[in-house]
């Protein structure tokens, strides 16, 4: 008898889960659902457009979606087009891989002023995500502020600072590139409430700001500690040491000829967004780190800016019927309840790179197998047939893997200049390309 599995979300964690299921159940059928017509989650809509090689990891996942045992059902949102209960009833196991890409709030006055954007929206905008293509961010002044000291914050600063020539070969949305290139940018400030040792960025991404065409990184030498102190060991400690080396190198650089300055500002926490009808600046408070925690000092300073972009972490947004526990779907090592499981960022929160999701998804599939091997467990669900009927009755235009290839071909045909393709920015445009 075949086993029928559903995976909700075609980002890295969902695709690694599909691979693990296929390896362990050679005769199984796997239906992979995604609310967006085009697959692969943050590979398409999160990874920076100038990190084009990273985006190529999608190729390996494409091979999985092309297998006979696998069906891709794009443009199907669970919670809107199908319910959690319907999936639970029809599949032997359902694996939720819906990510956790909804912005966490700063919780300070002025946060709702026009000109404040979460990284999820801002990154989605320049990556042509259908939910954010109409963002139209206010990049009309010389200064922008980015809150956060992780790789996403670095991505945002770098994309703002790069020239059009440096963005060649990237898959940034053409309209976003125009807005960014027209910004009269002079300064981008990246703020972290803790210090360089606690920063979440990695040496490769940090090193990329060394030789930008028009932008110099400004680091205060006095903010860089001599060594890594705290509870860090092994690989993590090595990463932190490399970060400090690069930061020291940046602090020693003098590049007055560059027109854009990227300020790395540690030990400062936002307390208020300033402005009447829109963002005009931000009030920051100096902090000090005590036992790894940022502690306020009562000393404030203001920075004028036209926009503030926050990159301070994300939370999951599960469909009705799934429990939320702070930022993730409530789970025990990936088990949710009954025949439902969770993997990836929706399981463990918004941390880890694409490869991190591999072992994580495999560990959850091991538990799923353990559960299916228990006495009394049966493989008796009908699989996708009833689901197909429900989707057809509800007039949902399900996007298949062949449709994905056709949309991709149209995007490649729409490419301008040296860009590999021009992504459609709305679901309607994607579906129109199929007519
Ligand atoms: C801005 C940014 C840049 C990054 N850059 C890098 C990088 O350069 N290198 C790297 O290795 N890692 C990078 N990462 C991390 C990497 O993207 C994540 O580790 C990875 O994408 C997490 O995978 P996931 O499958 O859990 O979630 P996601 O990739 O978010 O996939 C979730 C999928 O679920 C779908 N979905 C959500 N809700 C529903 C629903 N209700 N119904 C149906 N489908 C749904 C979404 O459309 C999406 O396709 C970056 C992350 C961010 C945020």
């Amino acid at each position: 008898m075949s086993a029928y599995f559903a995976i909700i979300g075609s980002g890295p964690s969902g695709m690694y889960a599909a691979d693990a299921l296929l390896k362990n159940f050679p005769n199984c059928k796997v239906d992979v659902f995604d609310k967006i017509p085009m697959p692969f989650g943050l590979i398409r809509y999160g990874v920076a457009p100038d990190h084009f090689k990273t985006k190529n990891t999608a190729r390996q996942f494409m091979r999985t979606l092309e297998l006979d045992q696998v069906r891709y059902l794009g443009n199907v949102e669970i919670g809107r087009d199908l319910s959690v209960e319907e999936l639970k009833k029809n599949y032997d196991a359902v694996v939720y891989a819906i990510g956790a890409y909804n912005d966490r709030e700063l919780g300070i006055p002025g946060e709702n002023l026009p000109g404040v954007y979460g990284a999820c929206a801002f990154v989605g905008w320049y990556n042509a995500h259908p939910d954010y293509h109409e963002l139209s961010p206010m990049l009309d002044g010389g200064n922008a502020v980015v809150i956060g000291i992780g790789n996403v914050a670095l991505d945002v600063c770098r994309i703002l600072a790069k020239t059009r020539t440096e963005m060649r070969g990237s898959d940034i949305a053409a309209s976003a590139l125009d807005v960014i290139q027209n910004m009269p940018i002079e300064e981008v400030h990246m703020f972290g409430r803790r210090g360089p040792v606690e920063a979440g960025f990695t040496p490769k991404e940090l090193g990329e700001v060394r030789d930008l065409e028009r932008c110099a990184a400004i680091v205060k030498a006095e903010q860089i500690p001599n060594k890594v102190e705290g509870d860090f060991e092994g690989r993590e400690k090595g990463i932190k040491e490399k970060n400090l080396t690069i930061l020291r190198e940046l602090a020693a650089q003098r590049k007055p000829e560059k027109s854009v300055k990227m300020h790395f500002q540690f030990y400062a926490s936002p307390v208020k967004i300033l402005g009447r009808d829109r963002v005009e600046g931000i009030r920051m408070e100096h902090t000090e780190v005590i036992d790894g925690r940022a502690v306020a000092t009562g000393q404030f300073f203001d920075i004028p800016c036209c926009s503030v972009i926050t990159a301070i972490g994300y939370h999951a947004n599960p469909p009705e019927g799934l429990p939320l526990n702070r930022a993730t779907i409530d789970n025990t090592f990936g088990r949710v309840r009954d025949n439902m499981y969770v993997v990836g960022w929706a399981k463990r929160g918004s941390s880890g790179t694409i490869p991190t999701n591999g072992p994580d998804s495999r560990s959850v599939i091991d538990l799923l197998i353990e559960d299916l091997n228990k006495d009394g467990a049966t493989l008796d669900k009908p699989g996708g047939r009833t689901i197909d009927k429900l989707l057809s009755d509800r007039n949902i235009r399900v996007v298949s893997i062949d449709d994905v290839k056709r949309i991709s071909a149209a995007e490649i045909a729409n490419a301008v200049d040296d860009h590999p393709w021009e992504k459609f920015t709305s679901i309607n445009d994607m579906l129109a390309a199929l007519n």
Side-chain angles (χ1 to χ4, degrees):
M1 196 176 199
S2 287
Y4 292 102
F5 298 116
I7 294 181
I8 317 308
S10 63
S13 68
M15 296 313 302
Y16 284 122
D19 286 341
L21 286 169
L22 291 160
K23 192 165 163 244
N24 285 285
F25 299 87
N27 297 318
C28 74
K29 301 262 188 255
V30 180
D31 284 354
V32 178
F33 294 84
D34 205 294
K35 65 177 183 174
I36 305 289
M38 297 300 274
F40 310 133
L42 289 174
I43 299 183
R44 181 174 163 101
Y45 290 121
V47 169
D50 59 339
H51 282 174
F52 201 66
K53 269 197 195 147
T54 310
K55 292 202 178 233
N56 269 336
T57 49
R59 284 191 186 172
Q60 76 182 86
F61 297 141
M62 190 68 187
R63 286 194 283 276
T64 302
L65 289 184
E66 285 172 332
L67 294 172
D68 286 343
Q69 294 147 274
V70 179
R71 287 198 311 166
Y72 177 66
L73 296 97
N75 198 33
V76 179
E77 180 169 339
I78 309 312
R80 182 192 65 187
D81 304 323
L82 290 171
S83 72
V84 165
E85 275 308 302
E86 285 164 343
L87 291 174
K88 194 181 126 189
K89 254 195 251 166
N90 284 286
Y91 292 94
D92 292 303
V94 185
V95 179
Y96 283 88
I98 57 170
Y101 201 42
N102 302 276
D103 288 301
R104 204 177 278 168
E105 294 188 348
L106 280 172
I108 60 172
E111 179 159 22
N112 296 322
L113 279 174
V116 182
Y117 311 103
C120 168
F122 194 80
V123 169
W125 167 70
Y126 64 58
N127 266 319
H129 192 295
D131 290 350
Y132 304 111
H133 75 281
E134 287 176 348
L135 188 73
S136 191
M138 294 175 159
L139 299 177
D140 51 354
N143 286 3
V145 163
V146 178
I147 305 291
I149 41 171
N151 281 339
V152 177
L154 264 181
D155 281 352
V156 171
C157 291
R158 191 182 66 253
I159 297 295
L160 287 175
K162 273 191 167 181
T163 60
R164 193 178 281 279
T165 319
E166 285 174 305
M167 290 305 288
R168 275 192 189 147
S170 77
D171 72 342
I172 191 167
S175 53
L177 181 60
D178 285 344
V179 173
I180 291 170
Q181 292 301 314
N182 287 333
M183 179 184 181
I185 186 167
E186 290 172 359
E187 300 194 337
V188 50
H189 299 261
M190 187 166 108
F191 283 111
R193 63 197 163 112
R194 296 189 291 166
V197 171
E198 292 81 19
F201 42 61
T202 42
K204 181 181 158 286
E205 278 69 22
L206 182 59
E208 283 177 55
V209 304
R210 259 189 291 230
D211 294 308
L212 296 179
E213 213 170 276
R214 64 172 178 181
C215 174
I218 311 289
V219 176
K220 293 176 182 148
E222 65 275 17
Q223 289 195 332
I224 316 302
N226 293 328
K227 57 180 181 159
V228 174
E229 277 177 3
D231 261 354
F232 305 105
E233 281 174 20
R235 189 169 171 272
E236 197 186 5
K237 190 168 183 191
I239 288 173
K240 308 253 170 226
E241 279 165 349
K242 278 189 197 151
N243 279 346
L244 293 191
T245 306
I246 298 170
L247 286 168
R248 267 182 228 116
E249 214 181 286
L250 293 173
Q253 279 182 347
R254 290 281 170 267
K255 293 193 171 166
E257 75 284 2
K258 304 238 171 167
S259 60
V260 181
K261 308 283 181 267
M262 186 189 296
H263 298 272
F264 284 71
Q265 309 234 36
F266 300 100
Y267 307 108
S269 178
V271 288
K272 187 178 182 184
I273 311 280
L274 308 171
R276 267 172 69 87
D277 304 321
R278 59 162 294 173
V279 171
E280 290 169 24
I282 187 164
R283 177 153 304 151
M284 304 293 303
E285 181 172 14
H286 288 293
T287 60
E288 53 187 321
V289 172
I290 299 174
D291 292 335
R293 292 173 63 88
V295 178
T297 60
Q299 292 170 312
F300 302 92
F301 61 100
D302 294 351
I303 298 276
C305 59
C306 64
S307 51
V308 174
I309 299 138
T310 63
I312 53 167
Y314 313 94
H315 62 86
N317 186 17
E320 200 185 321
L322 289 178
L324 180 71
N325 180 3
R326 292 158 70 95
T328 59
I329 293 179
D330 197 15
N331 73 89
T332 310
F333 303 116
R335 285 183 173 113
V336 180
R337 63 178 159 82
D338 307 321
N339 58 347
M340 298 189 288
Y341 300 82
V342 59
V343 293
W345 276 23
K347 168 189 171 241
R348 59 177 203 278
S350 55
S351 72
T353 60
I354 295 166
T356 319
N357 296 291
D360 186 71
S361 290
R362 287 190 285 276
S363 74
V364 177
I365 300 306
D366 285 346
L367 295 183
L368 182 157
I369 294 167
E370 203 179 294
D371 293 347
L372 284 179
N373 284 334
K374 278 183 189 152
D375 285 349
T378 50
L379 294 176
D380 56 1
K381 300 286 165 54
R385 272 166 308 175
T386 326
I387 293 293
D388 291 349
K389 170 94 176 50
L390 288 175
L391 290 170
S392 150
D393 290 349
R394 291 168 190 174
N395 280 327
I396 308 299
R397 171 59 168 99
V398 179
V399 169
S400 68
I401 198 61
D402 285 337
D403 293 335
V404 167
K405 288 182 194 164
R406 286 167 61 204
I407 297 172
S408 267
E411 291 185 332
I412 290 169
N414 289 344
V416 284
D417 299 334
D418 298 312
H419 301 280
W421 50 65
E422 183 59 37
K423 282 184 261 180
F424 290 112
T425 51
S426 78
I427 291 182
N428 282 344
D429 288 348
M430 292 178 202
L431 300 182
L434 298 173
N435 293 331

